[in-house]
Amino acid sequence: MNRVRVVLLDRDGVLVEDVPHHADPGLVRPAPHAREALGLLRARGVHTGVLTHQPGVARGLLTQADLRRVDEGGDRQPMSVFWRV
C-alpha cells in the first residue's frame, strides 16, 4: 500500500479565510481548524506545502509586492505563522 507523503493545500479559503483580491495583511485570519489539521498531518509524517492562485495579479488588481506584503504580514506576524506547527 502506498502511503501519502505530501499534501498540498491552497492558501485562501483553506489555510486562511478567503478575502478576494486583498492587499491588507490585517485582513488575514486563519481558517477554522487549519492549524490543527496541519498538526495532525505532520504528526503522521506527512509533508505539507502551500499553493495559491491569485487572479488579482493577472487582472492588475494586485502587484507581486502586494502579495509579498500580505505574506510577510506588514506590521503583524507573517502569514506562515498561521500554519507553522
Side-chain angles (χ1 to χ4, degrees), residues 11-34:
R11 185 185 82 176
D12 300 313
V14 175
L15 295 175
V16 297
E17 304 231 344
D18 190 15
V19 179
H21 313 305
H22 72 88
D24 180 358
L27 297 176
V28 176
R29 300 282 182 268
H33 310 293

Side-chain angles (χ1 to χ4, degrees), residues 48-82:
T48 58
V50 179
L51 304 171
T52 186
H53 172 68
Q54 298 295 323
V57 173
R59 295 179 187 144
L61 303 172
L62 298 168
T63 66
Q64 291 290 336
D66 292 332
L67 292 181
R68 272 192 301 280
R69 187 173 45 256
V70 170
D71 286 342
E72 293 167 359
D75 60 351
R76 299 171 40 130
Q77 293 179 321
M79 187 179 294
S80 61
V81 78
F82 292 126

